[in-house]
C-alpha cells in the first residue's frame, strides 16, 4: 500500500502581511465576496489570470475575512495530482468522513456528501488549479461530477485560483473573475505596492509610477522589485556589488538592460515557464515558439490577423506547418493562460489586436526570432488586405503596423544581421511606416524615420542602388512637406540624375520624380521654370500612362496651381474642373487627392470673385477632410486657413480672427513655428491676403 501523501489544508496565513494592505482589489474582493455569500445555490467562484497577477493574494484576503467571522476555511494545493487528492481527502476527513468511507472508491461523492451536512459555515479554497484537468477526478469538472462541485445551498462556498480562463473548461457552475495587472489610475495602486515594500527612500512617487508602468502593474514583479530595493538599501554602500540598483530609477534602468539583471533567480521567468509547460502537456508545444515570435515584435498592440497568419508564417520554421485553425488554437491557448490578451475589434474597419504583458515579453524575448518577425511583417505589408499607407481607408491597419515596423528596423539596423534579405525587408517595412506618418501629416516623425532608412540604405547598398534611390525620393517628399525646399531640391535632383541614366527619361518613375522636382521649383518661386517642367512631364505622362492615370492627374493638378500663381485664373479653373471630374470617377468624392483639387478650385473661385461659392466649397472640403484625415491634419488646417480668408472678405471679421487663431495653434503643434504654413497664418492674422496655393 503506498505511503499517504503528507499535506496540510490550513490557509497559508504567513503569506499575508497585515501591515501591507491588498492594493487595488476592492471592487474584485466585493464581487467575489458577493458570489461566495449569495443566499441559495452558490456558483464556484474562480479567480483566473496571468501567473503573478495576485490571485492567491486575493484568495488569502477572502479566507482571512472568513476566519475572522469564525468560519471554517480549508486550503488545498492543486499544483500536483497527488497533493490535490490528498488535500481533498483531508478535507473530507475533517468534515466527518471515516477511513472506511474514504477507502470505498467514491471519495469525491463522500467529500461532497459530508460538506453538504457540515453545520458550520465553510470555505474551500483550491489554489493554483492551473491544470483544470486534475479537478476532473473520477468524473468531469464541467459536468459537476469532478472533485470540485456546486456546494449545497447555504452550506458553504468554493473558491478556485487558476491561470486558465477558458470558459468551456469550467462549465456553467463556475463564475469566472479576471485578476488583471494593476494598471488603473495611472498605475497608482501598483506604485503604492512598490513603496510598501521598498520604502519611500527608494524614490519619488513619480519614479515609483514609472517603474510600476514598466513592470506592467504585475503584483509579483512589484513585490520582487520593492523587496530587492529594500534589501539593497539594507546593505551599507561599501559592501554592495557595483552598479546595484538602490532606487526606482536605477532598477528600471537595469531592467531595461535585461530581466536577468534584476531577477537573478529567474522567479518571473519560471512563473511563466510553468504556463508553457502546461501547454506542452496539452499537446501544444508550438505555443512556446509562437510566444517567442510575438515577443520579437514591439511593445505595442499587435494586429494578429495581419501578422500571424499561415501566409505570413511561411518562413517561420516549425510554425510554418500551421494552418488557420492551428494558429488560432495556439493563440487562444496562450490567451487562456493569460500569457497574451486577445482584444476584439472595436468598430467598423478596426482590427482585433493582441497585447502581451511587458514582462512576459521580456522573459520570452529571443533574438533568434527577430528575422522571423521581420519576414512576417514584410509579408503583411505587401498583402492586399493591408493596403497602401497613403490610403485613408487603411490607416487603421497602418497605425497598428507602424510601431512594429519601426521597432524591428531599428533592432536590425543596430545589429549585424547575417541575412541581408532580412535587413532589406526591415528597411522596406520601415519605409512604408514612414510614408504612413507623412500621409497622416506627422512630418517631423516621418522625416526622422525616413532619414534613418536612407542612411542605412546608403551604407549597406550604396548611393546608386534602386532601393537607396527610393529611400532618397521618400525623404525628399517629406522635406518638401516640411518646407525644407532647398534640401528637397537637392535630393530630387540626385534621384532624377540616376533615374535618367538607369531607367531613361520616359520611365514612369523618372517622370514622377521630375514632376515632384517641379513642385519644389514652384515652392521656391521659380514658377516659370516649374511651368515648363510640368508641361514637359504632362506631355510624356499622357503618352506613357494615359490621361486618367493617377500620376497624370496629379501632374495636371499641380500644373493648375502654377497657372493660378501666374495669374492665368480662367485656365486654372478649367484645368481644376477637368481634373476634379476625372478624380471623382477614378478615386471617389472623398479621397484626399480629390479633396485637394476641389480645394484648389475653391481657391480659384475666390480669386474670380465668386466668394460665396468658394466658401461653400471650402466648407464642404474641410468637412470631408475632418472625416478622412482628421481635423488637425495639415491639409485640413490649410482649408480652414482659407475659410478664414473668405470670412474676412465677407465681413465676418471676428469669426475670421477666431478661425485663424485656432488654425495657428494647431499648426504650431503639428508643423512647428517656422513652417511656411504657420508663418503664413501668423502673417494673415494682421495682414489678410488672397488664399495661398494648396497642395
Amino acid at each position: 500500500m503506498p505511503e499517504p501523501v503528507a499535506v496540510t489544508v490550513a490557509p497559508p496565513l504567513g503569506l499575508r502581511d497585515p501591515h501591507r494592505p491588498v492594493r487595488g482589489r476592492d471592487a474584485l474582493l466585493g464581487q467575489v465576496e458577493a458570489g461566495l455569500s449569495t443566499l441559495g445555490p452558490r456558483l464556484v467562484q474562480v479567480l483566473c489570470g496571468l501567473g503573478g497577477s495576485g490571485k492567491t493574494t486575493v484568495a488569502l484576503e477572502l479566507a482571512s475575512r472568513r476566519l475572522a467571522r469564525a468560519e471554517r476555511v480549508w486550503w488545498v494545493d492543486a499544483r500536483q495530482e497527488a497533493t490535490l487528492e490528498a488535500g481533498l481527502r483531508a478535507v473530507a476527513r475533517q468534515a466527518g468522513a471515516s477511513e472506511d468511507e474514504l477507502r470505498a472508491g467514491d471519495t469525491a461523492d463522500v467529500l461532497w456528501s459530508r460538506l453538504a451536512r457540515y453545520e458550520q459555515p465553510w470555505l474551500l479554497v483550491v489554489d493554483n488549479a492551473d491544470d483544470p484537468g486534475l479537478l476532473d477526478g473520477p468524473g468531469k469538472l464541467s459536468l459537476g461530477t469532478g472533485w470540485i462541485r456546486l456546494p449545497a445551498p447555504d452550506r458553504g462556498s468554493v473558491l478556485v485560483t487558476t491561470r486558465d480562463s477558458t470558459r468551456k473548461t469550467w462549465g456553467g457552475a463556475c463564475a469566472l473573475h479576471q485578476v488583471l495587472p494593476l494598471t488603473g489610475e495611472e498605475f497608482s495602486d501598483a506604485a503604492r505596492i512598490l513603496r510598501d515594500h521598498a520604502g519611500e527612500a527608494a524614490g519619488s512617487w513619480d519614479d515609483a509610477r514609472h517603474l510600476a508602468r514598466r513592470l506592467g502593474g504585475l503584483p509579483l514583479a512589484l513585490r520582487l522589485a520593492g523587496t530587492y530595493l529594500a534589501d539593497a538599501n539594507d546593505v551599507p554602500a561599501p559592501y554592495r556589488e557595483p552598479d546595484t540598483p538602490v532606487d526606482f530609477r536605477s532598477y528600471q534602468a537595469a531592467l531595461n538592460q535585461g530581466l536577468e539583471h534584476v531577477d537573478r533567480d529567474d522567479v518571473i521567468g519560471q512563473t511563466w515557464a510553468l504556463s508553457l509547460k502546461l501547454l506542452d502537456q496539452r499537446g501544444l508545444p508550438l505555443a512556446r515558439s509562437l510566444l517567442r515570435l510575438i515577443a520579437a515584435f514591439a511593445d505595442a498592440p499587435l494586429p494578429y490577423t495581419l501578422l500571424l497568419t499561415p501566409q505570413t508564417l511561411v518562413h517561420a520554421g516549425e510554425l510554418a506547418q500551421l494552418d488557420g485553425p492551428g494558429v488560432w488554437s495556439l493563440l487562444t491557448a496562450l490567451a487562456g493562460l493569460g500569457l497574451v490578451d486577445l482584444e476584439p475589434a472595436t468598430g467598423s474597419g478596426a482590427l482585433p489586436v493582441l497585447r502581451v504583458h511587458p514582462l512576459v515579453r521580456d522573459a520570452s524575448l529571443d533574438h533568434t526570432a527577430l528575422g522571423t518577425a521581420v519576414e512576417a511583417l514584410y509579408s503583411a505589408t505587401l498583402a492586399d488586405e493591408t493596403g497602401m499607407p497613403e490610403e485613408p481607408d487603411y490607416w487603421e491597419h497602418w497605425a497598428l503596423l507602424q510601431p512594429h515596423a519601426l521597432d524591428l528596423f531599428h533592432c536590425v539596423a543596430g545589429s549585424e544581421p547575417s541575412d541581408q534579405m532580412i535587413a532589406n525587408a526591415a528597411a522596406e517595412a520601415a519605409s512604408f511606416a514612414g510614408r504612413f506618418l507623412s500621409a497622416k501629416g506627422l512630418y517631423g516623425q516621418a522625416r526622422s524615420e525616413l532619414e534613418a532608412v536612407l542612411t542605412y540604405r546608403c551604407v549597406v547598398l550604396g548611393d546608386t542602388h534602386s532601393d537607396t534611390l527610393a529611400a532618397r525620393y521618400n525623404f525628399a517628399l517629406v522635406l518638401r512637406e516640411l518646407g525644407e525646399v532647398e534640401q528637397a531640391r537637392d535630393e530630387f535632383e540626385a534621384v532624377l540624375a540616376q533615374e535618367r541614366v538607369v531607367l531613361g527619361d520616359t520611365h514612369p518613375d523618372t517622370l514622377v520624380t521630375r514632376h515632384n522636382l517641379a513642385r519644389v521649383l514652384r515652392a521656391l518661386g521659380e514658377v516659370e521654370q516649374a511651368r515648363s517642367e510640368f508641361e514637359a512631364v504632362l506631355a510624356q505622362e499622357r503618352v506613357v500612362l494615359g490621361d486618367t492615370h493617377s500620376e497624370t492627374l496629379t501632374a495636371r493638378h499641380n500644373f493648375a496651381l502654377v497657372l493660378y500663381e501666374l495669374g492665368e485664373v480662367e485656365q486654372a479653373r478649367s484645368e481644376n474642373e477637368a481634373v476634379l471630374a476625372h478624380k471623382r470617377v477614378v478615386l471617389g468624392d472623398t479621397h484626399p487627392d480629390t479633396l485637394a483639387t476641389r480645394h484648389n478650385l475653391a481657391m480659384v473661385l475666390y480669386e474670380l470673385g465668386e466668394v460665396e461659392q468658394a466658401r461653400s466649397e471650402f466648407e464642404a472640403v474641410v468637412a470631408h477632410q475632418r472625416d478622412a484625415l482628421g481635423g488637425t491634419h495639415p491639409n485640413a488646417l490649410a482649408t480652414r486657413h482659407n475659410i478664414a480668408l473668405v470670412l474676412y472678405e465677407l465681413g465676418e471679421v471676428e469669426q475670421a480672427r477666431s478661425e485663424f487663431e485656432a488654425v495657428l495653434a494647431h499648426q504650431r503643434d503639428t508643423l512647428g513655428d517656422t513652417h511656411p504654413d504657420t508663418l503664413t497664418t501668423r502673417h494673415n492674422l494682421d495682414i489678410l491676403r488672397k488664399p495661398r496655393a494648396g497642395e
Side-chain angles (χ1 to χ4, degrees):
M1 184 174 180
E3 288 289 325
V5 177
V7 294
T8 176
V9 290
L13 296 176
L15 296 176
R16 180 177 178 272
D17 186 345
H19 301 295
R20 293 190 177 110
V22 178
R23 302 285 192 184
R25 301 299 192 196
D26 290 348
L28 177 62
L29 286 165
Q31 291 168 7
V32 181
E33 184 65 66
L36 294 172
S37 306
T38 302
L39 295 176
R42 295 171 185 167
L43 296 178
V44 175
Q45 304 298 305
V46 179
L47 295 169
C48 52
L50 177 66
S53 60
K55 302 179 293 293
T56 297
T57 298
V58 173
L60 199 53
E61 179 66 20
L62 291 164
S64 176
R65 295 179 182 183
R66 292 302 179 99
L67 288 169
R69 299 201 294 265
E71 296 184 17
R72 185 65 185 266
V73 177
W74 292 291
W75 191 284
V76 176
D77 184 347
R79 282 176 290 188
Q80 298 177 12
E81 185 175 12
T83 54
L84 169 66
E85 185 170 344
L88 291 172
R89 284 176 174 273
V91 172
R93 190 178 299 109
Q94 293 180 20
S98 67
E99 290 299 328
D100 287 342
E101 287 178 299
L102 295 177
R103 283 195 294 267
D106 56 350
T107 309
D109 293 341
V110 171
L111 167 66
W112 290 97
S113 174
R114 285 294 177 177
L115 288 175
R117 288 177 280 164
Y118 198 75
E119 294 185 0
Q120 183 182 357
W122 54 267
L123 171 66
L124 171 61
V125 180
V126 181
D127 192 28
N128 291 313
D130 299 327
D131 183 359
L134 298 182
L135 302 182
D136 285 339
K140 189 73 174 174
L141 170 67
S142 59
L143 299 179
T145 59
W147 278 119
I148 301 303
R149 305 178 185 179
L150 280 175
D154 302 324
R155 286 294 182 180
S157 307
V158 181
L159 177 63
V160 179
T161 73
T162 180
R163 302 179 189 211
D164 195 326
S165 60
T166 310
R167 288 198 170 274
K168 182 179 175 183
T169 299
W170 295 98
C174 299
L176 273 58
H177 303 272
Q178 287 280 351
V179 184
L180 301 172
L182 296 167
T183 59
E185 296 182 22
E186 292 296 314
F187 292 86
S188 295
D189 288 313
R192 290 187 182 97
I193 293 176
L194 278 174
R195 300 188 90 183
D196 285 344
H197 290 274
E200 295 186 4
S204 69
W205 174 250
D206 282 343
D207 288 345
R209 284 205 307 180
H210 288 147
L211 177 55
R213 181 185 297 275
R214 177 62 180 85
L215 294 171
L218 189 74
L220 171 63
L222 298 168
R223 179 177 60 79
L224 288 174
T227 302
Y228 180 105
L229 293 174
D231 291 345
N233 282 299
D234 283 342
V235 178
Y239 304 111
R240 293 182 199 134
E241 291 185 20
D243 301 323
T244 297
V246 293
D247 56 29
F248 299 131
R249 285 193 180 189
S250 56
Y251 188 95
Q252 183 166 344
L255 175 60
N256 290 339
Q257 295 175 16
L259 188 58
E260 67 277 5
H261 291 282
V262 292
D263 185 19
R264 292 175 182 171
D265 294 330
D266 198 27
V267 174
I268 293 173
Q270 288 302 314
T271 297
W272 296 315
L274 292 173
S275 296
L276 292 171
K277 183 179 179 182
L278 185 59
L279 292 177
D280 289 342
Q281 293 168 355
R282 294 179 182 178
L284 297 170
L286 293 182
R288 191 182 301 268
S289 297
L290 185 59
L291 184 59
R292 282 198 294 264
L293 174 58
I294 290 168
F297 289 101
D299 185 11
L302 190 76
Y304 60 88
T305 58
L306 292 180
L307 290 172
L308 303 177
T309 69
Q311 292 72 36
T312 61
L313 298 177
V314 291
H315 302 296
E318 57 188 356
L319 295 174
Q321 65 186 272
L322 295 169
D323 57 10
V327 177
W328 182 242
S329 69
L330 295 182
L331 288 171
T332 53
L334 290 169
L337 295 182
L339 292 169
V340 301
D341 292 323
L342 300 179
E343 299 180 2
T346 55
S348 176
L351 293 173
V353 297
L354 175 156
R355 295 179 190 269
V356 60
H357 191 279
L359 294 183
V360 175
R361 182 175 179 273
D362 289 343
S364 306
L365 198 57
D366 181 349
H367 290 289
T368 63
L370 190 64
T372 303
V374 169
E375 290 182 308
L377 173 68
Y378 182 62
S379 178
T381 63
L382 300 180
D384 290 341
E385 57 267 28
T386 302
M388 298 303 290
E390 290 81 11
E391 294 295 328
D393 287 348
Y394 295 99
W395 279 358
E396 288 200 45
H397 295 186
W398 282 101
L400 293 168
L401 290 172
Q402 168 249 318
H404 301 288
L406 297 179
D407 183 74
L408 287 171
F409 167 66
H410 289 298
C411 287
V412 169
S415 61
E416 296 183 5
S418 57
D419 190 337
Q420 193 58 53
M421 289 183 63
I422 295 296
N424 288 336
E428 188 65 18
S431 294
F432 280 119
R435 286 164 52 187
F436 164 71
L437 291 171
S438 184
K440 287 283 288 181
L442 303 172
Y443 302 134
Q445 294 178 50
R447 185 194 199 282
S448 176
E449 299 300 343
L450 292 172
E451 186 173 24
V453 172
L454 174 59
T455 301
Y456 182 75
R457 294 288 204 199
C458 287
V459 171
V460 175
L461 302 176
D463 288 345
T464 60
H465 192 282
S466 60
D467 288 344
T468 306
L469 293 178
R472 192 177 300 282
Y473 173 84
N474 289 329
F475 182 52
L477 288 176
V478 78
L479 289 174
R480 187 194 65 217
E481 298 297 347
L482 283 166
E484 300 177 33
V485 285
E486 285 288 359
Q487 188 178 351
R489 178 180 191 164
D490 292 341
E491 298 293 346
F492 278 130
E493 287 177 342
V495 173
L496 183 60
Q498 286 296 324
E499 286 179 336
R500 279 178 156 155
V501 172
V502 176
L503 303 175
D505 283 342
T506 60
H507 190 280
D509 289 355
T510 308
L511 294 173
V512 170
T513 302
R514 192 176 174 189
H515 157 223
N516 278 295
L517 178 57
R519 293 177 70 181
V520 170
L521 293 174
R522 184 184 66 78
L524 286 166
E526 301 177 25
V527 186
E528 285 290 356
Q529 187 178 348
R531 177 180 188 158
S532 298
E533 282 295 295
F534 277 126
E535 287 174 338
V537 168
L538 267 172
Q540 293 288 345
E541 285 185 333
R542 280 177 162 140
V543 173
V544 175
L545 301 175
D547 282 341
T548 60
H549 189 279
S550 61
E551 292 296 347
T552 307
L553 294 176
T554 301
R556 289 184 70 183
H557 165 95
N558 285 298
F559 178 55
L561 280 176
V562 169
L563 294 173
Y564 170 85
E565 292 187 356
L566 289 171
E568 300 177 28
V569 186
E570 285 292 354
Q571 190 178 348
R573 178 178 188 164
S574 297
E575 273 297 296
N576 276 313
E577 287 174 342
V579 171
L580 181 59
H582 285 305
K583 283 186 175 180
R584 280 177 157 153
V585 173
V586 176
L587 302 175
D589 283 342
T590 60
H591 190 280
D593 288 353
T594 307
L595 296 176
T597 300
R598 192 174 176 188
H599 166 275
N600 288 350
L601 178 58
M603 201 169 55
V604 170
L605 294 172
Y606 176 91
E607 188 68 18
L608 289 168
E610 300 176 29
V611 183
E612 284 290 359
Q613 188 177 348
R615 176 180 184 168
S616 297
E617 284 296 296
F618 280 134
E619 288 176 344
V621 167
V622 82
H624 288 305
Q625 285 175 329
R626 282 175 169 142
D627 289 339
L629 307 176
T632 60
H633 190 283
N635 289 2
L637 295 177
T639 306
R640 289 182 65 186
H641 167 275
N642 287 337
I643 288 174
L645 288 177
V646 170
L647 291 171
Y648 179 81
E649 184 73 19
L650 292 170
E652 301 177 30
V653 180
E654 285 305 318
Q655 190 175 347
R657 185 184 306 279
S658 175
E659 190 71 5
F660 273 132
E661 288 172 346
V663 169
L664 181 60
H666 287 306
Q667 286 176 331
R668 281 174 160 160
D669 286 341
T670 58
L671 300 174
D673 285 339
T674 60
H675 190 279
D677 286 5
T678 310
L679 296 175
T680 299
T681 304
R682 285 184 63 188
H683 179 74
N684 285 343
L685 274 170
D686 299 315
I687 305 172
L688 299 176
R689 62 187 186 185
K690 69 179 182 179
R692 65 179 178 77
E695 295 295 336

